[in-house]
Amino acid sequence: MHSGARRNLPANIDAEQALLGALLIKNDAMGAIPASFDSGHFFVPIHRMIYDEIARVHASGRLANPVTIRAALPSNEMIGDMTIPQYMARMAAEAVSIGMVGEYATTITFDAMRRGMILIGQQAEDAGYDQADESTFMEQGDALRAQFERVMKGLEGEDEITLADAADAALDATSDAYRGKGMIGVDFGFAPLMGLIGPAMPGQLIVIGGGTKQGKSSMIEQVVMGAAMNGHPVWVYSGEMQGEELAHRALSRVTDIQAWRQMRGKVSEAEYEKLMAAKRNAETWQRRVFLRDKPMNMTQIERAVENFSKRHPGGMAVIDHIGLVERDKATSRMTEQEFGPVITRSSKMLANKAGVPIFAAAQLKKNTFVSDDRKSNRATFLQSINRRPRFTDLIGACEKDANHVIIPFRAEPILEELKPSESADSFGDWESVMSTIKDKAEIILALSRHTRWPQRKEVGWNGPKTQFEDLAAIDQGRFL
């Protein structure tokens, strides 16, 4: 029995300092750190910031040391009687063994997992005392069980399976699908897209291309939500949006409370309660989404996805987007046209190696929707919205390694760019054309290695929720 006195959380500050000191001396020692290691494992907040900055600078092909990373760290914060640059210099000077980096990381991870176990205990106690109904209590229990499994997997390290084990699992999946117990692959829940390409299969690379305001990231988010709600773990590299912004958008889809209002605090007390209830209800599936919103190069993404696939079978990975993957030494001088195919080729190889489907977002060329006709009349407006993007409009040759190329298309933002003043003679024509496309969109199967293409599927567009909607569905709840 332990006393009621508060005990210190487990942490090994010496190991954290030794790890950082070793990395500041020799950046290449990053390669000895397990793929499962994350800056969140550090106990000391400033250590997390230092580690992230070392990793970022090293990935860009530059040297990370106390001088080169100091500008990215707080300038007025003190560690005892030392400034942060002085603190980093001391850690580097006192580093004992660069060869112990892997062991330091393991020690730090173990303490982080112990802290995680303590947090689970506290949350379990809160759930026990909470006067919630049975349904809410069961959801809390499911969320705690998922947290516990992540802690235990973090302690187990890398696991391996034999080809015979994989064959047994594959045959079991086929048997379940045949008997109607489920389907092979990842069911990402969005019926219009599922109707075009079916479930996402292990080893597939599915490129989602789109221009500005066309809904590329929105479709990615819906696919992620749908897969997680259907029980699939999802790993996401979000180079475009931070985790909080993605969470706001997810809550917006469930509550009808716009993300921008959430971020600015422009909500009523009743709306805030609605958001809290939605967060609690979504927690179970959101625990299946593992998000990386800090810059990563392709090598780091490969390590992370391989580790994820071993720990979370039956999942999928997302790269949003290809152009925001961090450059390394080998790709630092490449143009966008050259860089895109390198990332898609690596992504396809990674999908095969890790045994997961990968969705990768890609930009369209900037002039895809540019019209040479400078006139402002009905014919010009119709011409501007009638051209459909093709796979050849992707930046670079990103389609070469893709199993499917999907392009969401919205005519509305294209026509908005051509809006004349209300006093212009052509305004009535513009308004008339706009009324025919308002809140409408298409999903284009621009290329496929497995089915007929091109194909187009009409869908709805919900602007406040920033999401595509299945026009044929009565109940949208399956993918919201």
Side-chain angles (χ1 to χ4, degrees), residues 367-400:
N367 63 350
T368 298
F369 301 114
V370 174
S371 173
D372 295 330
D373 189 348
R374 301 301 179 185
K375 298 176 184 177
S376 181
N377 54 41
R378 185 178 184 86
T380 303
F381 301 145
L382 289 172
Q383 181 184 20
S384 70
I385 65 173
N386 283 335
R387 182 191 183 279
R388 296 297 183 269
R390 296 166 293 185
F391 69 84
T392 53
D393 291 317
L394 295 172
I395 291 180
C398 293
E399 76 282 355
K400 286 185 177 179

Side-chain angles (χ1 to χ4, degrees), residues 296-306 325-326 328:
M296 300 178 73
N297 61 29
M298 197 62 210
T299 300
Q300 293 169 324
I301 289 173
E302 289 167 355
R303 289 174 56 198
V305 171
E306 287 181 46
V325 173
E326 195 85 342
D328 55 22

Side-chain angles (χ1 to χ4, degrees), residues 312-329:
H312 304 283
M316 66 179 229
V318 171
I319 300 173
D320 185 19
H321 61 77
I322 289 168
L324 292 177
V325 173
E326 195 85 342
R327 305 292 186 103
D328 55 22
K329 290 180 181 179

Side-chain angles (χ1 to χ4, degrees), residues 429-479:
D429 287 335
W430 178 88
E431 202 170 30
S432 173
V433 175
M434 177 61 84
S435 68
T436 66
I437 60 171
K438 187 73 173 173
D439 299 328
K440 294 181 180 178
E442 290 180 356
I443 299 175
I444 301 171
L445 177 60
L447 179 69
S448 177
R449 311 294 180 193
H450 309 286
T451 189
R452 177 178 59 85
W453 61 274
Q455 295 186 56
R456 301 194 317 207
K457 177 71 175 178
E458 290 187 1
V459 292
W461 172 254
N462 188 319
K465 290 184 177 182
T466 61
Q467 73 174 21
F468 297 96
E469 295 186 336
D470 182 3
L471 295 176
I474 298 174
D475 180 10
Q476 298 288 320
R478 184 164 182 258
F479 66 90

